[in-house]
Amino acid sequence: MSEKPWDGRFAEATDRSVEAFTSSIEIDHRLYSYDIEGSIAHCRMLAKTSILSEQEASLLIQGLEKIKIEIEQGRFEFDESLEDIHMNIEAGLVRQVGKTAHKLHTARSRNDQVALDVRMYLRDRTSMIIQKLIDFRKIIVHTAKTHIDVILPGYTHLQRAQPVLLAHHLMAYYEMFSRDVDRLSDCFKRINVLPLGSAALAGTTYPIDRNYTAMLLGFPKVSDNSMDSVSDRDFIIEFLSSASICMVHFSRMSEEFILWSSSEFGFIELPDSFATGSSIMPQKKNPDVSELVRGKTGRVFGDLMAVLTMMKSLPLTYNRDMQEDKTSLFDTVDILISCIDIYRKMLPKIKIDKEAMLRAASRGYLNATDLADYLANRGMAFREAHGCAGKAVSSAIGQKKELHELSIAELKSFSSLISEDVYTFLATEQVINRRKSYGGTACENVAAAIKAAENRLREETEGRAD
Ligand code: ARG
């Protein structure tokens, strides 16, 4: 058992089972680089404010830098009895520089330290996720552009409704993932606040300079209330809810790929390299990647629920319950990154069966609304036109024909307003290209939406460059 930095008032050693139960090192060791970077900035601030001497601070900084190398080379010895990454690094610093190491924790507590580490970790991961989503949206837009002439049925209630361009369908996902980027960028602002200097909960008696630490660590803002700073996990909850919404989008897209790759739809073929087979049925090619993305979405929702529930009854300020936040947070970060990465690779490899999609869009009375529009254009009230077109559909169903397969005489029997030009009016391409209302599926609208998306993506990419 190692000596603990807090054991001065304890007469008995901690029970081994308690050490194992309370330890979080298995989870939070991944915060090591942020913990070290934060401690180095803290040392610099302590020297600047003359709380530590320059020599003491530089000794501590050298020690911390050595520890970073030891951890990266796998030479650092982690000790479960030292609870967490913060105490492990502090103990490592004692091994490196001796007694001076004990000065590192001046004007600081693990409560503001852990809040700092998680914020630094999450700000990195959030910008990484945003960049990956930008790349993925580029792939969506590119796929839409290269398949601009592909038509498929649009559905409501999973019933064929009206024909749409595949590009329009794909651009719907572009919109969803763009909102995810907006949400994460907004959430980033609230992650990017420095809690260090709040100490245990009430602030500190030392003449610290929090703005200096913030400047060193690239935080544009310091937190305003020490009690809030050590007990706030809103930024984690916000991230987890943004991640959950993003996973909803991945899961819905997955569901469509799963349906579309079935023989019932036959709209797409998944690349062999991204599908798996069955150990018993030789003919099977399963959409496991999409299924797992859909499945992992449940885990991400669970992570959000876990943190919300963990926080909901906690009195101010820090409570040890909060140590559990990292298990959920890391799980969601890993899942979200892996899902974006796998789809960035898989989407361009999906084979689209243009003929199958068009075939499906040409049957099932997807132009029935347009027959009603045709009549309305010729002066009939829309409600009446709807009824008239409905009768035509019903008669066509009885004859196992499509509307445009009915003879002109038959069509005229539903309304004398119908003439020969109805056939071109009902043609699938015309049905699509007449939907020119802003946001509609007409080819020229979709081409414009693609252009606008390309411009926004260019701006976002250039934004990253500065
Ligand atoms: N391992 C702890 C956590 O992750 C660090 C903070 C511990 N603070 C304390 N007062 N025990 O929450």
Side-chain angles (χ1 to χ4, degrees):
M1 193 210 61
S2 15
E3 225 173 82
K4 299 189 168 52
W6 44 253
D7 65 5
R9 60 101 78 204
F10 287 79
E12 252 186 331
T14 320
D15 194 279
R16 278 221 176 278
S17 62
V18 172
E19 283 184 345
F21 189 74
T22 54
S23 172
S24 58
I25 189 66
E26 285 236 343
I27 304 289
D28 60 27
H29 67 90
R30 29 163 140 179
L31 294 174
Y32 80 90
S33 63
Y34 303 105
D35 198 73
I36 291 173
E37 201 186 330
S39 289
I40 291 176
H42 184 62
C43 284
R44 294 222 158 95
M45 184 279 291
L46 292 176
K48 177 182 179 267
T49 51
S50 306
I51 298 168
L52 292 190
S53 71
E54 285 292 344
Q55 293 88 315
E56 286 170 328
S58 65
L59 186 66
L60 294 176
I61 292 169
Q62 281 166 25
L64 287 163
E65 277 163 354
K66 280 195 193 132
I67 291 174
K68 186 164 185 214
I69 296 167
E70 277 187 11
I71 295 178
E72 268 152 19
Q73 294 178 344
R75 290 190 285 117
F76 187 83
E77 273 188 36
F78 287 103
D79 180 352
E80 189 187 63
S81 71
L82 286 169
E83 287 186 26
D84 54 26
I85 186 65
H86 326 295
M87 283 179 18
N88 268 277
I89 289 177
E90 205 183 311
L93 195 58
V94 177
R95 293 197 292 273
Q96 285 288 344
V97 306
K99 273 189 164 318
T100 315
H102 296 305
K103 296 203 171 182
L104 173 67
H105 217 49
T106 314
R108 187 176 76 169
S109 145
R110 269 190 298 155
N111 298 350
D112 55 347
Q113 188 179 358
V114 71
L116 172 71
D117 293 5
V118 177
R119 282 175 185 272
M120 288 171 72
Y121 160 83
L122 193 51
R123 118 187 134 156
D124 272 8
R125 290 302 175 279
T126 303
S127 23
M128 180 197 275
I129 290 167
I130 290 173
Q131 294 317 325
K132 285 177 185 287
L133 283 172
I134 292 174
D135 280 352
F136 183 54
R137 282 157 58 236
K138 284 185 191 162
I139 294 168
I140 294 178
V141 172
H142 181 77
T143 313
K145 201 172 174 177
T146 46
H147 294 93
I148 191 76
D149 57 338
V150 177
I151 292 169
L152 84 166
Y155 295 81
T156 62
H157 313 268
L158 200 56
Q159 308 289 323
R160 288 180 200 173
Q162 291 174 347
V164 291
L165 291 184
L166 174 66
H168 195 49
H169 194 124
L170 290 172
M171 289 302 286
Y173 284 103
Y174 164 83
E175 295 293 330
M176 295 177 229
F177 292 116
S178 299
R179 289 195 296 274
D180 291 326
V181 166
D182 292 344
R183 250 185 299 275
L184 287 165
S185 309
D186 196 55
C187 169
F188 185 90
K189 291 185 227 153
R190 282 173 294 279
I191 299 172
N192 204 13
V193 177
L194 177 94
L196 200 70
S198 303
L201 77 162
T204 175
T205 55
Y206 294 92
I208 57 171
D209 181 348
R210 297 187 63 203
N211 288 316
Y212 183 68
T213 317
M215 187 273 287
L216 291 177
L217 294 173
F219 283 97
K221 201 177 160 345
V222 301
S223 60
D224 292 321
N225 180 300
S226 62
M227 295 181 76
D228 178 46
S229 314
V230 295
S231 66
D232 170 31
R233 295 296 181 268
D234 291 1
F235 65 100
I236 295 182
I237 295 173
E238 261 192 71
F239 172 83
L240 292 176
S241 45
S242 306
S244 295
I245 297 173
C246 185
M247 286 300 295
V248 169
H249 302 150
F250 274 113
S251 187
R252 294 185 73 179
M253 194 175 74
S254 299
E255 173 69 13
E256 295 204 317
F257 290 160
I258 293 163
L259 285 172
W260 290 1
S261 64
S262 68
S263 356
E264 280 69 16
F265 276 80
F267 287 179
I268 57 170
E269 196 189 331
L270 298 175
D272 278 358
S273 49
F274 283 78
T276 52
S278 155
S279 52
I280 175 166
M281 297 165 283
Q283 86 284 9
K284 290 289 291 284
K285 181 166 160 187
N286 296 328
D288 296 36
V289 168
S290 298
E291 289 174 303
L292 278 167
V293 169
R294 192 177 57 181
K296 285 171 193 285
T297 302
R299 239 170 81 193
V300 170
F301 296 178
D303 290 332
L304 169 63
M305 281 307 131
V307 179
L308 281 170
T309 313
M310 183 268 287
M311 289 301 292
K312 73 179 253 302
S313 303
L314 295 186
L316 296 186
T317 53
Y318 178 83
N319 299 269
R320 192 64 178 270
D321 315 44
M322 288 152 78
Q323 180 167 288
E324 293 295 315
D325 60 0
K326 285 170 281 300
T327 314
S328 305
L329 178 62
F330 295 166
D331 188 48
T332 285
V333 166
D334 292 347
I335 291 177
L336 186 53
I337 290 177
S338 67
C339 291
I340 306 173
D341 282 347
I342 199 98
Y343 264 127
R344 277 160 76 205
K345 286 193 179 162
M346 186 167 131
L347 186 61
K349 294 202 162 86
I350 292 179
K351 245 206 262 141
I352 287 154
D353 190 335
K354 187 177 165 182
E355 277 69 42
M357 287 188 177
L358 183 63
R359 228 175 4 253
S362 323
R363 304 212 74 80
Y365 314 99
L366 280 79
N367 49 8
T369 319
D370 292 72
L371 181 56
D373 286 344
Y374 176 92
L375 293 168
N377 287 348
R378 279 156 187 75
M380 195 183 278
F382 184 79
R383 275 282 154 255
E384 200 187 325
H386 183 283
C388 202
K391 287 205 180 76
V393 168
S394 158
S395 160
I397 291 174
Q399 305 173 53
K400 293 197 167 37
K401 282 182 178 171
E402 285 296 315
L403 286 176
H404 48 272
E405 289 165 356
L406 298 177
S407 72
I408 191 68
E410 259 179 291
L411 284 168
K412 275 179 186 289
S413 75
F414 299 107
S415 167
S416 57
L417 293 171
I418 296 179
S419 56
E420 272 293 337
D421 61 357
V422 74
Y423 293 108
T424 33
F425 197 89
L426 293 181
T428 308
E429 266 177 39
Q430 294 238 3
V431 167
I432 287 183
N433 286 328
R434 261 196 312 273
R435 287 180 164 67
K436 287 198 189 83
S437 55
Y438 183 75
T441 191
C443 194
E444 58 181 86
N445 290 31
V446 178
I450 289 175
K451 210 163 208 84
E454 285 173 336
N455 288 338
R456 178 178 161 173
L457 286 166
R458 201 169 306 122
E459 274 167 32
E460 286 177 33
T461 313
E462 281 159 14
R464 162 170 49 165
D466 331 313

